[in-house]
């Protein structure tokens, strides 16, 4: 709400500013993937292999494509062989853009 003061200038009340701040743009959902930990030799970092099956562009046969991603593991709890769920996050280092959300299954 705008108020007109005695000298003719308009000022906004604090409640109007607070209402505008409450309507911040909604953040998009972050990507999550499930993969296998292939290395845990770094401090607070694990390498997770994500496998996806795609048809071959010419022959149509299903081919497995593997992507190795570095993920942040704050507690150092994930070990090689574990199945983990990772979530996209802001860049944490040169190669790290993911973080471990949960350990789905422990290695046997």
């Amino acid at each position: 709400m705008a108020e007109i003061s005695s000298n003719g200038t308009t000022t906004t009340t604090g409640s109007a500013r607070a209402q505008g701040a409450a309507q911040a743009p909604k953040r998009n959902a972050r990507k999550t993937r499930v993969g296998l930990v292939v290395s845990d030799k770094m401090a607070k970092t694990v390498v997770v292999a994500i496998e996806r099956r795609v048809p071959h562009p010419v022959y149509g046969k299903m081919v497995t494509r593997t992507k190795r991603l570095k993920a942040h593991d704050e507690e150092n709890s994930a070990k090689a062989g574990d199945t983990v769920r990772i979530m996209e996050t802001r860049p944490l280092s040169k190669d790290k853009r993911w973080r471990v959300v949960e350990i789905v299954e422990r290695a046997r």
Side-chain angles (χ1 to χ4, degrees):
M1 290 189 241
E3 295 176 352
I4 300 173
S5 64
S6 60
N7 62 358
T9 59
T10 49
T11 59
T12 57
T13 59
S15 62
R17 265 187 250 126
Q19 288 173 355
Q23 297 173 355
K26 188 177 177 187
R27 194 165 66 185
N28 292 334
R30 296 180 178 189
K31 295 177 192 170
T32 59
R33 301 283 184 263
V34 176
L36 186 70
V37 176
V38 292
S39 173
D40 62 340
K41 295 183 179 183
M42 292 172 275
K44 296 188 178 184
T45 304
V46 291
V47 179
V48 182
I50 307 293
E51 289 189 346
R52 60 190 181 96
R53 294 174 51 77
V54 296
H56 187 278
V58 175
Y59 301 112
K61 180 180 177 179
M62 294 304 280
V63 183
T64 303
R65 300 277 185 219
T66 304
K67 189 77 156 178
R68 288 165 52 103
L69 303 169
K70 290 188 177 83
H72 185 69
D73 181 19
E74 186 63 38
E75 292 91 34
N76 257 348
S77 55
K79 302 298 175 199
D82 292 351
T83 303
V84 294
R85 177 170 285 111
I86 60 175
M87 178 183 285
E88 191 178 35
T89 186
R90 65 183 174 83
L92 300 172
S93 71
K94 178 185 168 189
D95 298 324
K96 270 202 293 191
R97 271 95 175 115
W98 297 80
R99 64 182 162 91
V100 175
V101 177
E102 68 171 317
I103 297 172
V104 178
E105 186 180 348
R106 290 275 183 196
R108 294 179 201 171

